[in-house]
Amino acid sequence: MIVGLEGIITHKEPTKCVIKCASGVSYAVAISLGCGARVERGEKVEFLITQIIREDANLLYGFLEPKEKNMFEMLIKLSGIGASTAMAVCSSLSAENFSRAIITGDSALLTSVPGIGPKTARRIIAELGDAKLMEFGESEVYKSEAMSALESLGFKRDRISKILLDCVSTNTADLIKEALKKLA
């Protein structure tokens, strides 16, 4: 399985590029519009890759940031969401805005993405709203720990999520104290 590609971009379109690796092999990689805006033809890049192997194709999706790749991979695991719709979400929303939409239940933001209607937006929120990994990145484990602690105290998850977005503490104990003051 291919998980990363490093090479020089030899051809670039808004949502696709061709990377020529040092070995001489060139790969076509689908990218988001944001990714496409950040890379140039002739530039050396390193993409994080999600490889999808189908009966009729071997597809590569490239990302510059791990958060965008995680968002894409979470979306394609959902029933009824294909790679093209997941890539449309990546092109339309940053990982932070997407996470915020899931946490706050903002279906209007999700319906602004081409190919996602109100029903699909509600289903994405319902299915991913329970995924704690959606809320916080790897570097923000303290937020996940604070979320679990506040839930065990009996506070509702959606209310905690909204409060934690406004908190500034950077460790678990201080974050819990800050959130408790706002929840009271």
mmCIF file of all heavy atoms in Angstrom, residues 105-130:
data_model
loop_
_atom_site.group_PDB
_atom_site.id
_atom_site.type_symbol
_atom_site.label_atom_id
_atom_site.label_comp_id
_atom_site.label_asym_id
_atom_site.label_seq_id
_atom_site.Cartn_x
_atom_site.Cartn_y
_atom_site.Cartn_z
ATOM 1 N N GLY A 105 -23.004 20.635 15.079
ATOM 2 C CA GLY A 105 -24.187 20.173 14.354
ATOM 3 C C GLY A 105 -24.619 21.134 13.265
ATOM 4 O O GLY A 105 -25.801 21.227 12.926
ATOM 5 N N ASP A 106 -23.683 21.850 12.671
ATOM 6 C CA ASP A 106 -23.970 22.859 11.646
ATOM 7 C C ASP A 106 -24.143 22.199 10.278
ATOM 8 O O ASP A 106 -23.213 22.135 9.478
ATOM 9 C CB ASP A 106 -22.841 23.882 11.620
ATOM 10 C CG ASP A 106 -23.104 25.050 10.687
ATOM 11 O OD1 ASP A 106 -24.165 25.072 10.038
ATOM 12 O OD2 ASP A 106 -22.240 25.949 10.616
ATOM 13 N N SER A 107 -25.360 21.721 9.993
ATOM 14 C CA SER A 107 -25.604 21.055 8.713
ATOM 15 C C SER A 107 -25.583 22.043 7.552
ATOM 16 O O SER A 107 -25.305 21.669 6.415
ATOM 17 C CB SER A 107 -26.915 20.276 8.744
ATOM 18 O OG SER A 107 -27.998 21.147 8.967
ATOM 19 N N ALA A 108 -25.864 23.327 7.824
ATOM 20 C CA ALA A 108 -25.851 24.336 6.758
ATOM 21 C C ALA A 108 -24.458 24.462 6.138
ATOM 22 O O ALA A 108 -24.325 24.609 4.916
ATOM 23 C CB ALA A 108 -26.312 25.680 7.309
ATOM 24 N N LEU A 109 -23.435 24.402 6.961
ATOM 25 C CA LEU A 109 -22.064 24.488 6.445
ATOM 26 C C LEU A 109 -21.755 23.282 5.561
ATOM 27 O O LEU A 109 -21.148 23.416 4.505
ATOM 28 C CB LEU A 109 -21.057 24.579 7.594
ATOM 29 C CG LEU A 109 -19.601 24.780 7.195
ATOM 30 C CD1 LEU A 109 -19.410 26.072 6.417
ATOM 31 C CD2 LEU A 109 -18.710 24.777 8.418
ATOM 32 N N LEU A 110 -22.197 22.112 5.989
ATOM 33 C CA LEU A 110 -21.948 20.901 5.191
ATOM 34 C C LEU A 110 -22.722 20.915 3.875
ATOM 35 O O LEU A 110 -22.229 20.432 2.860
ATOM 36 C CB LEU A 110 -22.288 19.652 5.994
ATOM 37 C CG LEU A 110 -21.386 19.370 7.196
ATOM 38 C CD1 LEU A 110 -21.881 18.147 7.958
ATOM 39 C CD2 LEU A 110 -19.951 19.168 6.769
ATOM 40 N N THR A 111 -23.929 21.471 3.875
ATOM 41 C CA THR A 111 -24.712 21.515 2.634
ATOM 42 C C THR A 111 -24.147 22.529 1.646
ATOM 43 O O THR A 111 -24.534 22.524 0.481
ATOM 44 C CB THR A 111 -26.203 21.820 2.894
ATOM 45 O OG1 THR A 111 -26.312 23.046 3.606
ATOM 46 C CG2 THR A 111 -26.878 20.701 3.646
ATOM 47 N N SER A 112 -23.214 23.374 2.082
ATOM 48 C CA SER A 112 -22.560 24.302 1.153
ATOM 49 C C SER A 112 -21.567 23.570 0.248
ATOM 50 O O SER A 112 -21.111 24.116 -0.749
ATOM 51 C CB SER A 112 -21.852 25.423 1.920
ATOM 52 O OG SER A 112 -20.733 24.915 2.621
ATOM 53 N N VAL A 113 -21.254 22.329 0.591
ATOM 54 C CA VAL A 113 -20.340 21.509 -0.211
ATOM 55 C C VAL A 113 -21.115 20.894 -1.377
ATOM 56 O O VAL A 113 -22.174 20.299 -1.165
ATOM 57 C CB VAL A 113 -19.711 20.388 0.649
ATOM 58 C CG1 VAL A 113 -18.839 19.474 -0.204
ATOM 59 C CG2 VAL A 113 -18.925 20.972 1.797
ATOM 60 N N PRO A 114 -20.623 21.040 -2.605
ATOM 61 C CA PRO A 114 -21.307 20.428 -3.750
ATOM 62 C C PRO A 114 -21.445 18.913 -3.561
ATOM 63 O O PRO A 114 -20.498 18.238 -3.195
ATOM 64 C CB PRO A 114 -20.389 20.728 -4.935
ATOM 65 C CG PRO A 114 -19.529 21.858 -4.488
ATOM 66 C CD PRO A 114 -19.423 21.757 -2.998
ATOM 67 N N GLY A 115 -22.661 18.401 -3.772
ATOM 68 C CA GLY A 115 -22.897 16.966 -3.652
ATOM 69 C C GLY A 115 -23.416 16.528 -2.300
ATOM 70 O O GLY A 115 -23.713 15.352 -2.104
ATOM 71 N N ILE A 116 -23.528 17.452 -1.345
ATOM 72 C CA ILE A 116 -24.049 17.098 -0.021
ATOM 73 C C ILE A 116 -25.346 17.871 0.210
ATOM 74 O O ILE A 116 -25.335 19.103 0.249
ATOM 75 C CB ILE A 116 -23.038 17.391 1.103
ATOM 76 C CG1 ILE A 116 -21.818 16.502 0.915
ATOM 77 C CG2 ILE A 116 -23.664 17.165 2.468
ATOM 78 C CD1 ILE A 116 -20.799 16.582 2.001
ATOM 79 N N GLY A 117 -26.409 17.109 0.343
ATOM 80 C CA GLY A 117 -27.710 17.704 0.627
ATOM 81 C C GLY A 117 -28.000 17.664 2.117
ATOM 82 O O GLY A 117 -27.195 17.149 2.904
ATOM 83 N N PRO A 118 -29.164 18.188 2.527
ATOM 84 C CA PRO A 118 -29.510 18.236 3.951
ATOM 85 C C PRO A 118 -29.533 16.864 4.621
ATOM 86 O O PRO A 118 -29.064 16.713 5.749
ATOM 87 C CB PRO A 118 -30.899 18.868 3.969
ATOM 88 C CG PRO A 118 -31.036 19.552 2.661
ATOM 89 C CD PRO A 118 -30.161 18.835 1.696
ATOM 90 N N LYS A 119 -30.061 15.871 3.926
ATOM 91 C CA LYS A 119 -30.149 14.531 4.509
ATOM 92 C C LYS A 119 -28.758 13.936 4.746
ATOM 93 O O LYS A 119 -28.470 13.385 5.811
ATOM 94 C CB LYS A 119 -30.966 13.631 3.574
ATOM 95 C CG LYS A 119 -31.244 12.256 4.120
ATOM 96 C CD LYS A 119 -32.107 11.460 3.156
ATOM 97 C CE LYS A 119 -32.325 10.052 3.643
ATOM 98 N NZ LYS A 119 -33.103 9.266 2.674
ATOM 99 N N THR A 120 -27.883 14.070 3.765
ATOM 100 C CA THR A 120 -26.521 13.558 3.894
ATOM 101 C C THR A 120 -25.767 14.320 4.979
ATOM 102 O O THR A 120 -25.023 13.722 5.765
ATOM 103 C CB THR A 120 -25.772 13.670 2.550
ATOM 104 O OG1 THR A 120 -26.517 12.973 1.551
ATOM 105 C CG2 THR A 120 -24.381 13.090 2.632
ATOM 106 N N ALA A 121 -25.961 15.628 5.045
ATOM 107 C CA ALA A 121 -25.288 16.441 6.071
ATOM 108 C C ALA A 121 -25.694 15.979 7.469
ATOM 109 O O ALA A 121 -24.847 15.820 8.349
ATOM 110 C CB ALA A 121 -25.622 17.914 5.879
ATOM 111 N N ARG A 122 -26.998 15.747 7.677
ATOM 112 C CA ARG A 122 -27.471 15.283 8.989
ATOM 113 C C ARG A 122 -26.900 13.907 9.321
ATOM 114 O O ARG A 122 -26.534 13.629 10.459
ATOM 115 C CB ARG A 122 -29.002 15.258 9.029
ATOM 116 C CG ARG A 122 -29.622 16.639 9.107
ATOM 117 C CD ARG A 122 -31.114 16.572 9.393
ATOM 118 N NE ARG A 122 -31.873 15.798 8.426
ATOM 119 C CZ ARG A 122 -32.403 16.279 7.302
ATOM 120 N NH1 ARG A 122 -32.257 17.559 7.005
ATOM 121 N NH2 ARG A 122 -33.076 15.507 6.492
ATOM 122 N N ARG A 123 -26.794 13.049 8.304
ATOM 123 C CA ARG A 123 -26.251 11.707 8.528
ATOM 124 C C ARG A 123 -24.761 11.770 8.872
ATOM 125 O O ARG A 123 -24.281 11.060 9.761
ATOM 126 C CB ARG A 123 -26.473 10.826 7.298
ATOM 127 C CG ARG A 123 -26.167 9.362 7.546
ATOM 128 C CD ARG A 123 -26.681 8.451 6.451
ATOM 129 N NE ARG A 123 -26.441 8.898 5.116
ATOM 130 C CZ ARG A 123 -25.260 8.825 4.478
ATOM 131 N NH1 ARG A 123 -24.223 8.321 5.096
ATOM 132 N NH2 ARG A 123 -25.137 9.233 3.240
ATOM 133 N N ILE A 124 -24.010 12.636 8.203
ATOM 134 C CA ILE A 124 -22.576 12.795 8.509
ATOM 135 C C ILE A 124 -22.408 13.264 9.947
ATOM 136 O O ILE A 124 -21.593 12.736 10.701
ATOM 137 C CB ILE A 124 -21.907 13.793 7.529
ATOM 138 C CG1 ILE A 124 -21.822 13.180 6.137
ATOM 139 C CG2 ILE A 124 -20.523 14.190 8.023
ATOM 140 C CD1 ILE A 124 -21.382 14.152 5.055
ATOM 141 N N ILE A 125 -23.210 14.255 10.342
ATOM 142 C CA ILE A 125 -23.132 14.782 11.708
ATOM 143 C C ILE A 125 -23.481 13.698 12.720
ATOM 144 O O ILE A 125 -22.808 13.543 13.741
ATOM 145 C CB ILE A 125 -24.043 16.017 11.870
ATOM 146 C CG1 ILE A 125 -23.448 17.187 11.089
ATOM 147 C CG2 ILE A 125 -24.219 16.380 13.339
ATOM 148 C CD1 ILE A 125 -24.371 18.370 10.930
ATOM 149 N N ALA A 126 -24.519 12.934 12.427
ATOM 150 C CA ALA A 126 -24.940 11.872 13.351
ATOM 151 C C ALA A 126 -23.870 10.791 13.485
ATOM 152 O O ALA A 126 -23.566 10.334 14.583
ATOM 153 C CB ALA A 126 -26.246 11.253 12.879
ATOM 154 N N GLU A 127 -23.288 10.386 12.358
ATOM 155 C CA GLU A 127 -22.307 9.294 12.396
ATOM 156 C C GLU A 127 -20.951 9.733 12.936
ATOM 157 O O GLU A 127 -20.306 8.995 13.677
ATOM 158 C CB GLU A 127 -22.151 8.677 11.003
ATOM 159 C CG GLU A 127 -23.384 7.908 10.575
ATOM 160 C CD GLU A 127 -23.197 7.159 9.269
ATOM 161 O OE1 GLU A 127 -22.081 6.666 9.025
ATOM 162 O OE2 GLU A 127 -24.168 7.080 8.502
ATOM 163 N N LEU A 128 -20.508 10.928 12.576
ATOM 164 C CA LEU A 128 -19.199 11.384 13.033
ATOM 165 C C LEU A 128 -19.259 12.118 14.363
ATOM 166 O O LEU A 128 -18.243 12.289 15.018
ATOM 167 C CB LEU A 128 -18.535 12.288 11.991
ATOM 168 C CG LEU A 128 -18.075 11.605 10.718
ATOM 169 C CD1 LEU A 128 -17.412 12.613 9.792
ATOM 170 C CD2 LEU A 128 -17.132 10.457 11.009
ATOM 171 N N GLY A 129 -20.433 12.541 14.765
ATOM 172 C CA GLY A 129 -20.581 13.246 16.036
ATOM 173 C C GLY A 129 -20.184 12.372 17.213
ATOM 174 O O GLY A 129 -19.787 12.877 18.261
ATOM 175 N N ASP A 130 -20.269 11.074 17.041
ATOM 176 C CA ASP A 130 -19.884 10.147 18.103
ATOM 177 C C ASP A 130 -18.404 9.781 18.054
ATOM 178 O O ASP A 130 -17.897 9.133 18.951
ATOM 179 C CB ASP A 130 -20.714 8.861 18.014
ATOM 180 C CG ASP A 130 -22.172 9.112 18.351
ATOM 181 O OD1 ASP A 130 -22.444 10.070 19.105
ATOM 182 O OD2 ASP A 130 -23.022 8.364 17.867
#
